[in-house]
């Protein structure tokens, strides 16, 4: 689930390879609503959501033909995606409600900032948000806040100076060339380790530079035009701007060709490449690494580093030696201005939005307060998270959500004990991993300390740079230090969850533990289908998907499988790949079965586990009668399908083919359900129905 643009460049210190989102805010049947004629008005943004809403069901559809349509068709027929969004549905509905709460926190902080003590976190929060909302000052300043940095780039006359300027811009949050990050050690998950990885591209994926065909050509042409316009806005003459844009394209294309694909990166072994500092120096001698590490603020000493993509760093070295200095300087100028554009004056904002809309399909900008709120949440999330929790997440809600998650854990353990294909030795390891899997529910036990963060009245982009530098300093010197197990990777109001294999933990923020995901007062059928299946069961299964299974109970990369069990897993996983390769994503593009494998295994395992947990809960608590005319089992599958109630623009679906490890929601529902006999039984589906796949093609994993 992403409320913003999922392909935006992440903080260089938040390498996401190990983190996986549960619920993507994307869609199905992209053109249907447009074809329906005049839409009915949307409900008010604050209308209560239900975990299972019978009004969304299309009773004219056949549940055994297309369950996604059956569960959500009536909603879809009347839905219109608002102009500022690339999708609508669960993610937007929940996000809108959360944002109203966050807004009230930020409005208070802004109004009261002057009366708060100097240096206090509430004052910093109010100052940060206020400087973002001050559009008058931002319009007046134009490009001027970036002038000192642009002069720094202009002043580069040597290769060594070039590396220093790259370092200083990286610390302020600009994604350039490669990324330094202290990650959890792959073979010592108790300690952080220094890491270097690929980065520095302006397009959302390396494939956009290397793909062939008219669609790829037109994206590259649009990108060249966009880069040219950014240079023009930054004051360059037309001919110079065109020349510089081609320089940027040339350099980025070289970086892209040396980058691993997303598919290659799914194999943890492919990015496991620890080497000594001497070996790093031999790999990339153009960079004085001791000087580079000093200039990004490192005071800690370490003697080895994981170079996730050595071939990429080798290419960077060759480019630092051979590419013209003018080409490098154009690349630096472009990235500085483009990555800052969203927080400069209107012409910059509009240019950045127009280009990103090519990938999202959004028709207009979000209102300023929403853009500022999301940036504030991203940069000072734990400063506002406490107030958010106080307003929305009572202890009873946390306790009930935790009880459902614990039921799911017990059901997963039972499935592990029952699996017939697994040897006892692998089973013991798997049960141990599950038992040690940490769960974080609601909000952090310890909130982040913002003492060292500086926020000042004045240009907002400078506050963003200060927040980036604060985050950099917070984590940069971690190599060798014990891993902070209390840390959260997403903020409290976020409508998302994740499993991190290096920490063997699953994380569910308060922002996701509300209707439509979960309602303490809803029936078990609904809650176990949504929170149980789509969320908790899904995240738990990630510990045992094609990526997660390579990590052990402590989070170390190690092979705890017998050879025969590995063979069985791979054979069954290949059936999942084949199943999803067969589905159409959008236009003539098929789903990428290998790229989406981990998510599809997690959906399938999550459903099976959630269903078991529901059956136990019914045995324990008693079976209710029909609710809205449905049995608890029917409500389980309906709530699961409604948790994927998403309507997406076609541009978004096209982008997702390349960048998203989640299949379109239509297949996240119909795919796993058509493998599950209990689903067929609940809705009376027969062999031969589209929602009942032939037994010999059904995978058996978890
Ligand atoms: Zn997932």
């Amino acid at each position: 689930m992403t409320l913003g643009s999922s392909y935006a460049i992440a903080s260089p210190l938040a390498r996401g390879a190990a983190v996986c989102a549960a619920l993507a805010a994307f869609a199905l049947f992209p053109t249907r609503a447009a074809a329906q004629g005049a839409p009915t008005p949307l409900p008010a943004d604050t209308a209560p959501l239900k975990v299972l809403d019978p009004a969304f069901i299309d009773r004219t559809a056949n549940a055994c033909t297309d369950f996604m349509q059956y569960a959500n068709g009536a909603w879809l027929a009347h839905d219109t995606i608002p102009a500022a969004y690339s999708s609508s549905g669960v993610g937007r509905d929940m996000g809108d409600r959360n944002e109203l709460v966050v807004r009230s926190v930020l409005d208070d902080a802004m109004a009261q900032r002057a009366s708060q003590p100097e240096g206090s976190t509430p004052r910093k929060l109010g100052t940060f948000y206020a400087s973002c909302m001050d559009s008058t000052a931002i319009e007046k300043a134009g490009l001027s806040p970036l002038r000192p940095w642009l002069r720094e780039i202009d002043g580069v006359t040597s290769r060594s100076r070039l590396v220093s300027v790259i370092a200083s811009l990286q610390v302020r949050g600009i994604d350039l060339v490669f990324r330094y990050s202290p990650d959890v050690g792959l073979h010592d998950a108790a300690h952080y380790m220094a890491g270097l990885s690929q980065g520095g591209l302006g397009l959302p994926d390396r494939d956009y530079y290397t793909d062939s065909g008219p669609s790829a050509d037109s994206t590259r042409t649009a990108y060249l035009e966009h880069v040219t316009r950014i240079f023009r806005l930054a004051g360059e003459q037309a001919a110079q701007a065109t020349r510089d844009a081609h320089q940027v394209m040339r350099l980025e294309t070289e970086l892209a060709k040396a980058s691993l694909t997303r598919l290659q990166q799914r194999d943890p072994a492919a990015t496991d490449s620890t080497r000594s500092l001497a070996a790093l120096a031999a790999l990339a001698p153009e960079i004085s690494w001791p000087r580079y590490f000093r200039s990004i603020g490192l005071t800690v000493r370490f003697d080895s580093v994981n170079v996730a993509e050595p071939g990429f760093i080798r290419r960077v070295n060759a480019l630092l030696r051979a590419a013209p200095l003018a080409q490098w300087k154009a690349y630096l100028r472009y990235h500085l201005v483009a990555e800052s554009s969203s927080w400069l004056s209107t012409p910059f904002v509009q240019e950045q939005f127009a280009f990103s809309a090519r990938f999202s399909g959004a028709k207009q900008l979000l209102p300023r307060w929403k853009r500022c709120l999301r940036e504030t949440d991203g940069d000072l999330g734990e400063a506002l998270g406490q107030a958010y929790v106080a307003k929305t997440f009572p202890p009873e809600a946390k306790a009930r959500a935790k009880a459902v998650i614990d039921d799911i854990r017990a059901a997963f353990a039972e499935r592990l004990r029952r699996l017939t294909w697994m040897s006892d030795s692998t089973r013991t390891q798997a049960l141990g991993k599950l038992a040690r899997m940490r769960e974080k529910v609601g909000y952090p036990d310890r909130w982040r300390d913002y003492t060292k963060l500086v926020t000042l009245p004045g240009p907002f982009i400078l506050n963003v740079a200060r927040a980036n530098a604060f985050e950099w300093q917070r984590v940069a010197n971690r190599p060798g230090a014990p891993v902070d197990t209390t840390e959260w990777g997403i903020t409290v109001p976020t409508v998302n969850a994740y499993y991190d294999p290096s920490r063997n933990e699953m994380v569910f923020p308060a922002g996701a533990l509300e209707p439509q995901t979960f309602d303490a007062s809803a029936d078990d059928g609904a809650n176990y289908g949504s929170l149980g299946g789509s969320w908790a069961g899904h995240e738990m299964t990630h510990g045992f998907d094609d990526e997660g299974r390579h990590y052990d109970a402590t989070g170390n990369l190690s092979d705890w499988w017998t050879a025969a069990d590995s063979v069985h897993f791979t054979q069954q996983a290949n059936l999942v790949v084949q199943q999803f390769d067969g589905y159409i994503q959008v236009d003539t593009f098929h789903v990428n079965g290998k790229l989406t494998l981990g998510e599809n295994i997690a959906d399938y395992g999550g459903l099976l586990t959630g269903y078991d947990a529901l059956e136990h809960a019914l045995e324990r608590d008693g079976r209710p009668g029909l609710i809205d005319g449905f049995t608890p089992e029917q409500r389980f599958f309906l709530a699961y399908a409604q948790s994927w109630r998403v309507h997406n623009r076609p541009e978004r679906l096209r982008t997702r083919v390349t960048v998203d490890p989640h299949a379109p929601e239509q297949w996240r529902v119909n795919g796993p359900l058509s493998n599950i006999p209990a689903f067929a039984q609940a809705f009376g589906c027969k062999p031969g129905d589209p929602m009942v796949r032939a037994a010999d093609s059904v995978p058996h994993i978890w």
Side-chain angles (χ1 to χ4, degrees), residues 598-678:
E599 296 302 328
N600 297 330
I601 290 174
D603 285 338
Y604 186 24
L607 263 166
L608 293 170
T609 308
Y611 185 85
D612 287 354
L614 170 67
E615 292 302 303
H616 289 310
L618 293 176
E619 252 167 58
R620 184 187 60 208
D621 307 333
R623 170 175 281 271
L626 298 185
I627 303 174
D628 303 324
F630 296 108
T631 66
E633 286 81 4
Q634 288 173 328
R635 290 180 64 79
F636 172 89
F637 292 115
L638 281 165
Y640 174 82
Q642 289 196 348
S643 79
W644 302 116
R645 176 179 63 87
V646 183
H647 177 199
N648 206 45
R649 295 191 192 276
E651 293 88 343
R652 188 72 162 176
L653 280 174
R654 284 180 205 121
T655 304
R656 287 177 63 188
V657 174
T658 308
V659 305
D660 195 349
H662 303 86
E665 289 65 30
Q666 177 188 1
W667 304 122
R668 297 189 70 174
V669 172
N670 289 356
L673 289 184
S674 60
N675 289 331
I676 298 178

Side-chain angles (χ1 to χ4, degrees), residues 83-269:
Y85 290 79
S86 61
S87 66
S88 57
V90 180
R92 187 183 84 87
D93 288 347
M94 291 180 68
D96 275 352
R97 284 156 181 77
N98 292 355
E99 284 176 351
L100 289 177
V101 180
V102 175
R103 184 185 193 175
S104 71
V105 172
L106 289 176
D107 282 345
D108 288 352
M110 181 161 66
Q112 293 158 14
R113 67 189 187 280
S115 60
Q116 298 288 345
E118 193 81 49
S120 68
T121 300
R123 184 166 176 138
K124 289 175 186 178
L125 190 63
T127 304
F128 189 87
Y129 184 65
S131 73
C132 186
M133 290 301 288
D134 188 356
S135 54
T136 312
I138 287 170
E139 293 303 332
K140 213 171 130 197
L143 187 67
S144 64
L146 297 186
R147 293 277 179 220
W149 302 347
L150 288 166
R151 275 199 293 277
E152 225 178 296
I153 296 170
D154 285 343
V156 170
T157 52
S158 68
R159 306 277 156 168
S160 69
R161 185 70 201 140
L162 170 64
V163 175
S164 312
V165 173
I166 288 172
S168 100
L169 290 169
Q170 284 174 335
V171 171
R172 293 171 212 160
I174 309 297
D175 181 44
L176 291 173
V177 202
F178 58 83
R179 295 169 187 165
Y180 162 80
S181 58
D183 297 319
V184 175
L186 285 171
H187 300 280
D188 174 13
H191 296 91
Y192 294 108
M193 178 170 191
L196 291 168
S197 55
Q198 65 191 39
L201 300 179
L203 283 165
D205 191 87
R206 48 95 60 210
D207 289 355
Y208 287 103
Y209 297 86
T210 57
D211 280 351
S212 53
S215 159
D217 288 343
S218 104
T219 299
R220 285 189 289 268
T221 303
Y223 184 51
L224 266 175
E225 289 165 1
H226 164 68
V227 179
T228 306
R229 282 194 294 270
I230 289 285
F231 280 130
R232 292 285 285 138
L233 287 171
E236 290 190 10
Q237 297 300 316
Q240 182 68 38
T242 306
R243 267 199 305 277
D244 282 350
H246 280 93
Q247 298 276 33
V248 171
M249 192 64 165
R250 221 164 284 146
L251 192 64
E252 289 188 1
T253 303
E254 289 301 311
L255 295 174
K257 285 197 284 197
S259 299
L260 294 188
T261 64
R262 278 175 205 259
L263 202 52
Q264 287 168 326
Q265 288 182 300
R266 284 193 66 73
D267 175 8

Side-chain angles (χ1 to χ4, degrees), residues 20-23 538-539 542 599 602 662 668:
C20 172
L23 187 71
H538 174 101
E539 298 304 340
H542 271 314
E599 296 302 328
H662 303 86
R668 297 189 70 174

Side-chain angles (χ1 to χ4, degrees), residues 495-682:
V495 185
N496 206 344
Y498 66 88
Y499 172 79
D500 182 343
S502 286
R503 296 162 188 263
N504 192 22
E505 70 179 13
M506 40 185 185
V507 182
F508 306 93
L513 298 172
E514 287 168 19
Q516 164 177 338
T517 301
F518 164 73
D519 183 345
S521 65
D523 58 296
D524 282 348
N527 275 333
Y528 283 78
S530 178
L531 176 60
S534 297
W535 292 77
H538 174 101
E539 298 304 340
M540 218 168 278
T541 308
H542 271 314
F544 305 89
D545 72 13
D546 62 316
E547 268 187 305
R549 78 181 190 89
H550 295 292
Y551 296 79
D552 67 16
T554 62
N556 286 336
L557 203 51
S558 80
D559 187 2
W560 45 272
W561 293 62
T562 66
D565 290 335
S566 262
V567 167
H568 175 92
F569 180 94
T570 306
Q571 281 168 348
Q572 297 301 308
N574 283 338
L575 290 178
V576 179
V577 172
Q578 284 166 24
Q579 178 181 2
F580 280 81
D581 275 344
Y583 297 138
I584 294 287
Q585 169 123 355
V586 61
D587 309 329
T588 55
F589 292 106
H590 279 247
V591 176
N592 184 335
K594 282 190 175 144
L595 181 63
T596 58
L597 177 59
E599 296 302 328
N600 297 330
I601 290 174
D603 285 338
Y604 186 24
L607 263 166
L608 293 170
T609 308
Y611 185 85
D612 287 354
L614 170 67
E615 292 302 303
H616 289 310
L618 293 176
E619 252 167 58
R620 184 187 60 208
D621 307 333
R623 170 175 281 271
L626 298 185
I627 303 174
D628 303 324
F630 296 108
T631 66
E633 286 81 4
Q634 288 173 328
R635 290 180 64 79
F636 172 89
F637 292 115
L638 281 165
Y640 174 82
Q642 289 196 348
S643 79
W644 302 116
R645 176 179 63 87
V646 183
H647 177 199
N648 206 45
R649 295 191 192 276
E651 293 88 343
R652 188 72 162 176
L653 280 174
R654 284 180 205 121
T655 304
R656 287 177 63 188
V657 174
T658 308
V659 305
D660 195 349
H662 303 86
E665 289 65 30
Q666 177 188 1
W667 304 122
R668 297 189 70 174
V669 172
N670 289 356
L673 289 184
S674 60
N675 289 331
I676 298 178
F679 165 78
Q681 197 187 338

